[in-house]
Amino acid sequence: MSDHVEQLLDRLLEEHPPATTPHEVFWGAQYDLGLAWVWHPDGFGGLGLPRRVQGLIDRRLLDGGASVENRHINLLGIGMGAGVLAAHGSDAQRRRWLRPMFTTEEMWCQMFSEPGAGSDLAGLATQAVRDGDEWVVNGQKVWTTLAHVAKWGMLVARTDPDAVKHEGLTYFIVDMESPGVDVRPLYQITGEAEFNEVFFTDVRLPDSNRIDAVGAGWRVSLTTLMNERVAIGGNAVPRGSGRIAQAIEVWGRSGLEDPVLRDELLRLWADVEAFRLTSIRANEMTAAGTPGPEGSTGKWAWATHNKAIASFILDVMGLEGTLYPDGYSMSRPPAFEGRSPQHGFLRTRANSIEGGTSEIMLNILGERVLGLPGEPRVDKDLPWKEVPRG
Amino acid sequence: MAETVGFTPTEEMTLIRSTARQFLGDRLSIGVVREQMMSGEGFDRSLWKEMAELGWTGLMIPEEHGGAGYGLAELSVILDEMGRNLTPGPFLASAVLATMAVMEIGSDEQRAELLPALASGDRLASLALYEGPRDWGLDGIATTARPSGGGWVIEGVKRHVLDGHMADTLLVLARVGDDLGLFAVDSDAVEVEQVPVLDLTRRQATVRLNGVHVPAERALGERPVGQGLRRVLAMGSAALAVEQVGGAQRCLELSIEYAKTRYQFGRPIGSFQAVKHRCAEMLVRVEQARSTTQHAVRVTDDPEELAIASPLAASVASEAYVWVAGETIQVHGGIGFTWEHDAHLYLKRAKTSSLLLGDPRFQRDLLGRALGL
């Protein structure tokens, strides 16, 4: 880390002592000094430095008692939206949105999936029709995290139904407080509503909220999704932490000595440790400038292991696993800590669906990493409106 | 608990790999491997001299004993390439397992006496440990050594001695009262019989010791040797796991090549998801196994971490290789079941390797003990 960055860090921590400064104020100052997304250009929360420097900065801030929780709180904005604005936004758009995003004063959500467009995202049907300097949006989105608290939503909509599906899409930022935006909780198998459905009825948004060109929506979405898969599959965590820690704890408490269950526990431990070492290796090879196929395997492996462990924990619990101690609350979920293993068993079912299904991940590995040929596509040269649906 | 130390290969490792790939490609192509596997000995000993000249047999041996003084991380590069290539011969038995046993357990004098000939390739050695089919824990050893005239008399039968028919020296594990001792025995003094094996590229022998006299100075190190030997086997298992990943990687490559060029229903079979996903899962399992083995061979100086990393690598790599080799036959369909195709050679190597030093369940038991589970 350069002296310049060190000085800026010292200044930030001195002028805004984390212990007595409200988080929003601290994060605002951090943005203004260029320490928010250090790889962004000057004036947009960055200093034009390599991306990896951010990790060093965040560690220093943590050591200095500051919070970097904003990256979690506003995950979809800071983790994905910022990347889209950096790569595809105008300076005016970056100026308008980046700072309050970083301070969490304006929360963000992402509106891609639809009831009729999951894995085949490019087939989505929500329509945006141009009307002078405005666009009029009608349609429905689903699985929208944080839509109920978000000020801004990233929206991909169909602007040309006569084009082939990838080419008729455009990317917008929607004010979630606009008339005609209706956010409803979507209850999932845990009995909670982590996600939402969002309905658009004649929602009007200005053309200045369009990101990149009309028809460039697919390209812009790919930027978002790449960042999402990094966010889901890419973290290196301490050995034996996370769900396997819960398995070990439940195993220890059970007092069981069953050799079959023990072997299964150890197999799961070995699986997640192999996955963890692979994440570390991938990060190291990427840092050394020689990334290999190891980096792409994370999401699939993580989802597979996580589900298996969650299910195993209930096996160890026996009949206790048939209970649901907190009941089906039919409400927004509480904070993430201390959820029951039974809740984990249900929640992990989504791991192989969210952020790219396991089937899609294997297609990506097969086609992009191993170079195997794709499936024949029946929708390839058809205008979107003629593609069979159902 | 120690953290991972560096996955990036060093310059030496990159150099060793390119030499190994070239040598094995030139001198031990798959056609040559097939000839040797059908021969009586299973390996042409003149190749051993060539490997020794490349410095492979002494790679881990300290320089003062005629070796290169490298560690398991460097040696493992050769094993990776040998696994890819299905290289036959006693490299694992002699240059890895037996050499490490002498280094770990032998006294200074014994190391000085035995290591130079192992480094130069003049002497081949092998561990003679097991008697029953699941003796990996070294608990049921019945072979005995009793003192006699200042030396020892050894009585017993050792089975599954790797490449024992080629060994000049056998390192025999025997019970001395309640302790275990390891004895360097000349093969001339014992009865060695090659046994028919599933994997023709790695041979085994039964060794019968009928009251063999061994001089006192051939009892290696200090008794009991169990702990030192378990450490040798932990390093050996990590080494073997690297070889397994090399083989699994080659299976993956064969499968992908075939899936791209084999047409059915008017398109390459690799375009069908049933085949594509199988190949993608092979990739994931090979990469995960590779991470565990690369970690294990780099932590041999840290006994506590090795006790975790070795059985981790051994169990993950064993199961990955057996599965990947099996699926390779499936992807190839009928041709994969023929003698002519190489797929069966990998399956045989995979299955037997997973049983040589402890099956995956045994390794996971070791892992559990190391983790306190």
Side-chain angles (χ1 to χ4, degrees), chain A residues 100-135:
Chain A
M101 173 196 284
F102 193 75
T103 64
T104 72
E105 284 159 296
E106 292 181 351
M107 295 287 288
W108 283 61
C109 66
Q110 166 208 306
M111 298 178 289
F112 286 10
S113 297
E114 298 183 3
S119 290
D120 183 15
L121 193 56
L124 59 85
T126 292
Q127 220 177 25
V129 178
R130 189 149 198 166
D131 182 20
D133 274 351
E134 292 187 321
W135 294 84

Short mmCIF file of all heavy atoms in Angstrom, two decimals, chain A residues 100-135:
data_model
loop_
_atom_site.label_atom_id
_atom_site.label_comp_id
_atom_site.label_asym_id
_atom_site.label_seq_id
_atom_site.Cartn_x
_atom_site.Cartn_y
_atom_site.Cartn_z
N PRO A 100 -24.47 8.09 -2.01
CA PRO A 100 -25.50 7.63 -1.08
C PRO A 100 -25.66 6.11 -1.06
O PRO A 100 -26.17 5.55 -0.08
CB PRO A 100 -26.78 8.31 -1.58
CG PRO A 100 -26.50 8.78 -2.96
CD PRO A 100 -25.01 8.99 -3.06
N MET A 101 -25.23 5.44 -2.12
CA MET A 101 -25.21 3.97 -2.12
C MET A 101 -24.19 3.49 -1.09
O MET A 101 -24.47 2.63 -0.26
CB MET A 101 -24.82 3.46 -3.51
CG MET A 101 -24.59 1.95 -3.61
SD MET A 101 -23.70 1.53 -5.14
CE MET A 101 -24.99 1.71 -6.35
N PHE A 102 -23.01 4.10 -1.13
CA PHE A 102 -21.94 3.65 -0.24
C PHE A 102 -22.26 3.93 1.22
O PHE A 102 -21.90 3.16 2.12
CB PHE A 102 -20.61 4.30 -0.63
CG PHE A 102 -19.43 3.65 0.03
CD1 PHE A 102 -18.97 2.41 -0.40
CD2 PHE A 102 -18.78 4.27 1.10
CE1 PHE A 102 -17.89 1.79 0.23
CE2 PHE A 102 -17.70 3.65 1.73
CZ PHE A 102 -17.26 2.41 1.29
N THR A 103 -22.95 5.05 1.47
CA THR A 103 -23.28 5.38 2.87
C THR A 103 -24.50 4.61 3.36
O THR A 103 -24.87 4.72 4.52
CB THR A 103 -23.58 6.88 3.02
OG1 THR A 103 -24.75 7.19 2.25
CG2 THR A 103 -22.41 7.73 2.55
N THR A 104 -25.14 3.86 2.48
CA THR A 104 -26.37 3.08 2.75
C THR A 104 -27.59 3.98 2.97
O THR A 104 -28.65 3.49 3.35
CB THR A 104 -26.25 2.11 3.95
OG1 THR A 104 -26.24 2.88 5.17
CG2 THR A 104 -25.03 1.25 3.89
N GLU A 105 -27.43 5.29 2.71
CA GLU A 105 -28.62 6.15 2.83
C GLU A 105 -29.63 5.80 1.75
O GLU A 105 -30.83 5.97 1.94
CB GLU A 105 -28.19 7.62 2.73
CG GLU A 105 -27.54 8.10 4.01
CD GLU A 105 -26.67 9.32 3.81
OE1 GLU A 105 -25.65 9.23 3.09
OE2 GLU A 105 -27.00 10.37 4.37
N GLU A 106 -29.14 5.32 0.61
CA GLU A 106 -30.04 4.82 -0.44
C GLU A 106 -29.72 3.36 -0.71
O GLU A 106 -28.64 3.03 -1.19
CB GLU A 106 -29.88 5.66 -1.72
CG GLU A 106 -30.39 7.09 -1.54
CD GLU A 106 -30.27 7.94 -2.80
OE1 GLU A 106 -29.62 7.49 -3.78
OE2 GLU A 106 -30.79 9.05 -2.81
N MET A 107 -30.69 2.51 -0.39
CA MET A 107 -30.49 1.06 -0.59
C MET A 107 -30.84 0.69 -2.03
O MET A 107 -31.64 1.36 -2.69
CB MET A 107 -31.38 0.30 0.39
CG MET A 107 -31.02 0.51 1.85
SD MET A 107 -29.49 -0.34 2.26
CE MET A 107 -30.10 -2.02 2.25
N TRP A 108 -30.24 -0.41 -2.47
CA TRP A 108 -30.43 -0.86 -3.85
C TRP A 108 -30.95 -2.29 -3.91
O TRP A 108 -30.69 -3.12 -3.03
CB TRP A 108 -29.11 -0.79 -4.62
CG TRP A 108 -28.75 0.62 -5.02
CD1 TRP A 108 -28.52 1.67 -4.19
CD2 TRP A 108 -28.60 1.11 -6.35
NE1 TRP A 108 -28.24 2.80 -4.91
CE2 TRP A 108 -28.28 2.48 -6.26
CE3 TRP A 108 -28.70 0.53 -7.61
CZ2 TRP A 108 -28.06 3.27 -7.38
CZ3 TRP A 108 -28.49 1.31 -8.74
CH2 TRP A 108 -28.17 2.67 -8.61
N CYS A 109 -31.71 -2.57 -4.99
CA CYS A 109 -32.10 -3.95 -5.27
C CYS A 109 -31.92 -4.22 -6.76
O CYS A 109 -31.66 -3.29 -7.54
CB CYS A 109 -33.54 -4.22 -4.84
SG CYS A 109 -34.78 -3.31 -5.77
N GLN A 110 -32.03 -5.51 -7.11
CA GLN A 110 -31.76 -5.93 -8.48
C GLN A 110 -32.97 -6.68 -9.01
O GLN A 110 -33.42 -7.63 -8.40
CB GLN A 110 -30.52 -6.83 -8.46
CG GLN A 110 -30.28 -7.61 -9.72
CD GLN A 110 -29.55 -8.90 -9.45
OE1 GLN A 110 -28.50 -8.92 -8.85
NE2 GLN A 110 -30.13 -10.01 -9.87
N MET A 111 -33.51 -6.21 -10.14
CA MET A 111 -34.74 -6.82 -10.66
C MET A 111 -34.49 -7.44 -12.02
O MET A 111 -34.65 -6.80 -13.05
CB MET A 111 -35.84 -5.74 -10.72
CG MET A 111 -36.15 -5.20 -9.32
SD MET A 111 -37.39 -3.91 -9.31
CE MET A 111 -36.48 -2.57 -10.05
N PHE A 112 -34.07 -8.72 -11.98
CA PHE A 112 -33.78 -9.45 -13.21
C PHE A 112 -34.80 -10.56 -13.42
O PHE A 112 -35.53 -10.57 -14.39
CB PHE A 112 -32.38 -10.08 -13.14
CG PHE A 112 -31.25 -9.09 -13.30
CD1 PHE A 112 -31.46 -7.73 -13.28
CD2 PHE A 112 -29.95 -9.55 -13.49
CE1 PHE A 112 -30.41 -6.83 -13.43
CE2 PHE A 112 -28.90 -8.67 -13.65
CZ PHE A 112 -29.13 -7.31 -13.61
N SER A 113 -34.83 -11.54 -12.47
CA SER A 113 -35.64 -12.74 -12.66
C SER A 113 -37.12 -12.40 -12.77
O SER A 113 -37.60 -11.44 -12.17
CB SER A 113 -35.48 -13.68 -11.46
OG SER A 113 -34.16 -14.11 -11.36
N GLU A 114 -37.80 -13.22 -13.54
CA GLU A 114 -39.25 -13.09 -13.67
C GLU A 114 -39.85 -14.48 -13.54
O GLU A 114 -39.15 -15.48 -13.69
CB GLU A 114 -39.60 -12.50 -15.05
CG GLU A 114 -39.04 -11.11 -15.25
CD GLU A 114 -39.45 -10.50 -16.59
OE1 GLU A 114 -40.23 -11.15 -17.34
OE2 GLU A 114 -38.99 -9.39 -16.87
N PRO A 115 -41.17 -14.55 -13.27
CA PRO A 115 -41.79 -15.87 -13.21
C PRO A 115 -41.54 -16.67 -14.48
O PRO A 115 -41.36 -17.89 -14.42
CB PRO A 115 -43.28 -15.54 -13.06
CG PRO A 115 -43.31 -14.20 -12.41
CD PRO A 115 -42.11 -13.47 -12.94
N GLY A 116 -41.43 -16.02 -15.63
CA GLY A 116 -41.22 -16.75 -16.88
C GLY A 116 -39.78 -16.72 -17.35
O GLY A 116 -39.48 -17.17 -18.46
N ALA A 117 -38.87 -16.17 -16.56
CA ALA A 117 -37.47 -16.07 -17.00
C ALA A 117 -36.55 -16.26 -15.80
O ALA A 117 -36.31 -15.34 -15.03
CB ALA A 117 -37.20 -14.72 -17.65
N GLY A 118 -36.11 -17.50 -15.61
CA GLY A 118 -35.21 -17.82 -14.50
C GLY A 118 -33.81 -18.05 -15.05
O GLY A 118 -33.03 -17.12 -15.21
N SER A 119 -33.52 -19.32 -15.37
CA SER A 119 -32.22 -19.63 -15.98
C SER A 119 -32.08 -18.92 -17.32
O SER A 119 -31.01 -18.45 -17.68
CB SER A 119 -32.07 -21.13 -16.16
OG SER A 119 -31.94 -21.76 -14.91
N ASP A 120 -33.17 -18.85 -18.07
CA ASP A 120 -33.15 -18.18 -19.38
C ASP A 120 -33.50 -16.71 -19.19
O ASP A 120 -34.52 -16.22 -19.65
CB ASP A 120 -34.15 -18.86 -20.31
CG ASP A 120 -34.13 -18.26 -21.71
OD1 ASP A 120 -33.17 -17.52 -22.04
OD2 ASP A 120 -35.08 -18.53 -22.46
N LEU A 121 -32.63 -16.02 -18.49
CA LEU A 121 -32.89 -14.64 -18.10
C LEU A 121 -33.16 -13.74 -19.32
O LEU A 121 -34.01 -12.84 -19.27
CB LEU A 121 -31.67 -14.13 -17.33
CG LEU A 121 -31.84 -12.83 -16.57
CD1 LEU A 121 -33.01 -12.92 -15.61
CD2 LEU A 121 -30.56 -12.51 -15.83
N ALA A 122 -32.43 -14.00 -20.40
CA ALA A 122 -32.57 -13.13 -21.58
C ALA A 122 -33.94 -13.25 -22.23
O ALA A 122 -34.27 -12.48 -23.13
CB ALA A 122 -31.47 -13.46 -22.59
N GLY A 123 -34.74 -14.20 -21.77
CA GLY A 123 -36.08 -14.33 -22.33
C GLY A 123 -37.12 -13.47 -21.62
O GLY A 123 -38.31 -13.59 -21.87
N LEU A 124 -36.69 -12.60 -20.72
CA LEU A 124 -37.63 -11.88 -19.85
C LEU A 124 -38.63 -11.01 -20.64
O LEU A 124 -38.37 -10.60 -21.78
CB LEU A 124 -36.86 -11.02 -18.84
CG LEU A 124 -35.90 -9.95 -19.36
CD1 LEU A 124 -36.64 -8.66 -19.65
CD2 LEU A 124 -34.81 -9.71 -18.33
N ALA A 125 -39.78 -10.75 -20.00
CA ALA A 125 -40.91 -10.17 -20.72
C ALA A 125 -41.34 -8.78 -20.23
O ALA A 125 -42.15 -8.12 -20.89
CB ALA A 125 -42.11 -11.11 -20.63
N THR A 126 -40.84 -8.33 -19.08
CA THR A 126 -41.23 -6.99 -18.59
C THR A 126 -40.87 -5.96 -19.66
O THR A 126 -39.74 -5.95 -20.16
CB THR A 126 -40.51 -6.68 -17.26
OG1 THR A 126 -41.03 -7.54 -16.27
CG2 THR A 126 -40.74 -5.22 -16.86
N GLN A 127 -41.87 -5.12 -19.97
CA GLN A 127 -41.72 -4.27 -21.13
C GLN A 127 -41.46 -2.82 -20.75
O GLN A 127 -42.03 -2.33 -19.79
CB GLN A 127 -43.03 -4.33 -21.91
CG GLN A 127 -42.81 -4.38 -23.38
CD GLN A 127 -44.11 -4.51 -24.14
OE1 GLN A 127 -45.17 -4.13 -23.66
NE2 GLN A 127 -44.01 -5.05 -25.35
N ALA A 128 -40.59 -2.15 -21.50
CA ALA A 128 -40.43 -0.70 -21.36
C ALA A 128 -40.67 -0.08 -22.73
O ALA A 128 -40.00 -0.45 -23.70
CB ALA A 128 -39.03 -0.37 -20.84
N VAL A 129 -41.62 0.83 -22.78
CA VAL A 129 -41.97 1.47 -24.06
C VAL A 129 -41.63 2.95 -23.97
O VAL A 129 -41.97 3.62 -22.99
CB VAL A 129 -43.48 1.28 -24.36
CG1 VAL A 129 -43.87 2.00 -25.66
CG2 VAL A 129 -43.82 -0.20 -24.44
N ARG A 130 -40.96 3.44 -25.01
CA ARG A 130 -40.51 4.83 -24.99
C ARG A 130 -41.69 5.78 -25.20
O ARG A 130 -42.55 5.54 -26.04
CB ARG A 130 -39.47 5.05 -26.09
CG ARG A 130 -38.81 6.38 -25.97
CD ARG A 130 -37.39 6.32 -26.48
NE ARG A 130 -36.67 7.49 -25.97
CZ ARG A 130 -35.36 7.61 -25.98
NH1 ARG A 130 -34.62 6.64 -26.45
NH2 ARG A 130 -34.79 8.68 -25.51
N ASP A 131 -41.69 6.88 -24.41
CA ASP A 131 -42.72 7.90 -24.57
C ASP A 131 -42.03 9.25 -24.38
O ASP A 131 -41.91 9.74 -23.26
CB ASP A 131 -43.83 7.68 -23.52
CG ASP A 131 -44.96 8.70 -23.67
OD1 ASP A 131 -45.07 9.32 -24.77
OD2 ASP A 131 -45.71 8.91 -22.70
N GLY A 132 -41.52 9.84 -25.48
CA GLY A 132 -40.78 11.11 -25.41
C GLY A 132 -39.50 10.91 -24.62
O GLY A 132 -38.70 10.04 -24.96
N ASP A 133 -39.32 11.69 -23.56
CA ASP A 133 -38.12 11.58 -22.73
C ASP A 133 -38.29 10.56 -21.61
O ASP A 133 -37.46 10.49 -20.70
CB ASP A 133 -37.80 12.94 -22.09
CG ASP A 133 -36.97 13.78 -23.05
OD1 ASP A 133 -36.53 13.22 -24.08
OD2 ASP A 133 -36.80 14.98 -22.78
N GLU A 134 -39.35 9.82 -21.66
CA GLU A 134 -39.63 8.86 -20.59
C GLU A 134 -39.83 7.46 -21.16
O GLU A 134 -39.97 7.27 -22.35
CB GLU A 134 -40.90 9.29 -19.84
CG GLU A 134 -40.73 10.56 -19.03
CD GLU A 134 -41.95 10.83 -18.16
OE1 GLU A 134 -43.10 10.60 -18.62
OE2 GLU A 134 -41.76 11.27 -17.03
N TRP A 135 -39.80 6.50 -20.22
CA TRP A 135 -40.13 5.11 -20.56
C TRP A 135 -41.29 4.69 -19.66
O TRP A 135 -41.37 5.12 -18.51
CB TRP A 135 -38.94 4.19 -20.31
CG TRP A 135 -37.76 4.45 -21.22
CD1 TRP A 135 -36.80 5.37 -21.06
CD2 TRP A 135 -37.46 3.76 -22.43
NE1 TRP A 135 -35.88 5.33 -22.08
CE2 TRP A 135 -36.27 4.33 -22.95
CE3 TRP A 135 -38.05 2.71 -23.16
CZ2 TRP A 135 -35.66 3.89 -24.13
CZ3 TRP A 135 -37.45 2.26 -24.33
CH2 TRP A 135 -36.28 2.85 -24.82
#
